Amino acid sequence: MHKFDRKIPYNDLPLLPPNADIETKNILRKTISAGRALAQLNGALQNLPNPTLFLDTIYLQEAKASSEVENIITTNDELYQSLVADKKNENFATKEVLSYKEALWLGLEELTTKPFITTNLCIKIVQCIKQNGASIRVTPGTTLGTPQGEVIYTPPSGESVIREKMANLEKFINEDNTIDPLIKMALLHYQFEVIHPFADGNGRTGRILLLLYLKLSGLLDIPAIYLSEYIIKNRAAYYQKLQGVTENNEWEAFILYMLEMIEKTSKSGFERLNKITTTMEKTAEEIKKKLPKIYSKNLIEILFRLPYTKRQHLIDENIGSPKTVGNYLSALETAGFLQSIKVGKEKLYLNQQLLNILEGK
């Protein structure tokens, strides 16, 4: 095997499946525990009275974390307010996060009509994230390096080379069914990141592909899981493991990292979901007791769909006239269930308990 050179485009990147033992005893053992945790989360999501209820919130949290991996930082407050308020959003980071969420929804929509992961789908996703006409990299000279300017990796160069590697990846994802789907997920993630097909947005596109693949393979019907949060907390190890595969064919360590990510995030997702549903049930009981005239199942769902709500949300759900819903929200604030906040000319209402759970408090 030739010596890998960090400064030369990796046009010799081997095609998938890799020439390595990807089913070691350690990997198979970890696949079982990760699969079990994922199945538990999947079951909990399916048993929700309204499984789509928390999706916006979950996808926003994933979008926020995924953008943070790329050092695009925004606060939850800013993010949720800009989603709910009519005020034009000027913050670059918040815009990027909202574009990521939109790209994830777009990917899920596309899967319902064409249940395949393709190069074209990846292009649509990156265009949505970047809000431009980005496509496969054509300009040479792309390198990945440290903040100090040291080159650590040079991805394949030349549009035809990149497209050929992507075609192999596409075939592997959609046709090779001999490998356990969780192991396959790790392989496809490595390959996509190392092909690095776009000038920008590869990390975020790659993490959206993970969620789409979990859905496509039937492992998670509602891909509501915060994978990026794990990568942020274990970022150095993530890049180190990617590099280990590239430079020394160390597949086992990378696959184990990815399986650990699935297991940990499934467990914390399951706990978070339980916390939200318990808090929601408790709040429903309290509102029923303190404000029986206001209480409805619909109202509770609106208050827990996103941390912020506003009059229009209640009007859209036919809860009452503008005047009535205004009175409802004021009563909920007086009783301590919500806090009002002015954003631009609008009044938004914050469900602090929900925000605390999402922020892991």
Side-chain angles (χ1 to χ4, degrees):
M1 200 175 141
H2 73 289
K3 175 95 178 74
F4 173 78
D5 187 333
R6 294 175 175 191
K7 293 182 180 160
I8 293 172
Y10 195 18
N11 288 6
D12 290 340
L13 168 67
L15 299 176
L16 291 177
N19 181 16
D21 184 359
I22 51 170
E23 291 176 333
T24 64
K25 200 180 260 176
N26 286 338
I27 289 173
L28 291 176
R29 198 177 288 137
K30 195 71 182 158
T31 305
I32 292 167
S33 59
R36 202 174 286 145
L38 195 56
Q40 187 186 34
L41 175 65
N42 197 32
L45 284 161
Q46 285 176 322
N47 288 333
L48 288 173
N50 174 359
T52 61
L53 183 59
F54 307 128
L55 283 191
D56 249 346
T57 296
I58 290 171
Y59 291 164
L60 264 184
Q61 289 296 106
E62 170 58 29
K64 179 176 179 284
S66 188
S67 302
E68 247 165 72
V69 178
E70 313 301 327
N71 294 317
I72 297 164
I73 313 288
T74 183
T75 66
N76 271 317
D77 255 353
E78 209 162 359
L79 197 53
Y80 289 117
Q81 285 176 19
S82 56
L83 187 73
V84 172
D86 290 328
K87 189 171 72 106
K88 191 164 163 30
N89 173 38
E90 299 303 338
N91 180 318
F92 160 77
T94 305
K95 274 185 196 161
E96 290 264 310
V97 174
L98 293 173
S99 299
Y100 177 96
K101 179 184 151 294
E102 197 185 311
L104 175 53
W105 273 119
L106 170 86
L108 291 165
E109 278 291 300
E110 291 278 327
L111 284 193
T112 55
T113 49
K114 287 193 208 111
F116 302 103
I117 288 174
T118 62
T119 304
N120 284 343
L121 177 61
C122 296
I123 292 171
K124 279 186 183 175
I125 289 169
V126 81
Q127 287 177 346
C128 187
I129 291 172
K130 296 305 299 168
Q131 297 287 308
N132 62 23
S135 191
I136 298 295
R137 260 187 307 117
V138 287
T139 325
T142 299
T143 57
L144 306 184
T146 62
Q148 292 73 39
E150 178 205 350
V151 172
I152 45 175
Y153 177 66
T154 306
S157 184
E159 188 182 0
S160 60
V161 175
I162 295 170
R163 283 193 180 273
E164 183 193 315
K165 306 280 183 207
M166 286 298 288
N168 162 255
L169 174 60
E170 192 176 306
K171 193 169 186 297
F172 174 76
I173 294 172
N174 300 307
E175 291 177 21
D176 189 323
N177 295 319
T178 56
I179 300 167
D180 182 285
L182 280 177
I183 298 174
K184 193 169 155 180
M185 179 206 72
L187 306 181
L188 74 89
H189 184 68
Y190 166 81
Q191 198 76 354
F192 178 83
E193 294 304 333
V194 177
I195 295 172
H196 202 80
F198 307 119
D200 190 19
N202 295 284
R204 283 168 286 170
T205 305
R207 289 187 288 280
I208 284 179
L209 289 186
L210 286 174
L211 296 170
L212 298 185
Y213 177 73
L214 288 175
K215 176 159 177 67
L216 193 61
S217 58
L219 291 170
L220 199 55
D221 299 306
I222 301 164
I225 188 169
Y226 304 94
L227 297 174
S228 301
E229 199 175 47
Y230 182 84
I231 294 175
I232 289 173
K233 288 177 182 158
N234 305 276
R235 197 191 309 218
Y238 172 69
Y239 291 117
Q240 195 188 339
K241 302 280 190 285
L242 278 168
Q243 214 170 333
V245 178
T246 307
E247 301 191 2
N248 304 307
N249 211 29
E250 290 168 357
W251 276 104
E252 186 184 61
F254 177 72
I255 294 168
L256 288 172
Y257 175 95
M258 295 296 284
L259 292 171
E260 176 75 0
M261 171 183 79
I262 289 290
E263 186 171 350
K264 285 264 167 71
T265 45
S266 297
K267 283 179 175 169
S268 63
F270 179 73
E271 282 164 22
R272 198 172 283 172
L273 206 57
N274 279 346
K275 261 189 197 162
I276 294 174
T277 43
T278 310
T279 307
M280 190 168 152
E281 283 161 14
K282 208 171 118 212
T283 305
E285 284 305 312
E286 285 174 12
I287 291 176
K288 213 186 262 183
K289 205 161 65 190
K290 290 185 185 170
L291 305 162
K293 286 194 175 76
I294 286 180
Y295 172 80
S296 73
K297 184 176 169 294
N298 239 2
L299 174 73
I300 304 298
E301 288 200 351
I302 294 167
L303 301 185
F304 278 84
R305 188 171 293 151
L306 286 165
Y308 284 93
T309 193
K310 60 180 179 179
R311 277 167 49 160
Q312 195 57 45
H313 290 175
L314 278 70
I315 296 164
D316 291 347
E317 292 291 334
N318 299 319
I319 284 182
S321 67
K323 188 170 186 300
T324 307
V325 301
N327 291 338
Y328 282 10
L329 288 166
S330 297
L332 286 163
E333 181 174 18
T334 307
F337 295 106
L338 299 172
Q339 284 163 250
S340 67
I341 182 165
K342 276 297 273 279
V343 176
K345 290 179 182 162
E346 274 187 299
K347 204 183 232 189
L348 303 185
Y349 290 85
L350 169 64
N351 176 348
Q352 187 68 54
Q353 287 191 90
L354 178 58
L355 191 61
N356 288 348
I357 296 169
L358 294 171
E359 293 191 323
K361 289 176 183 164

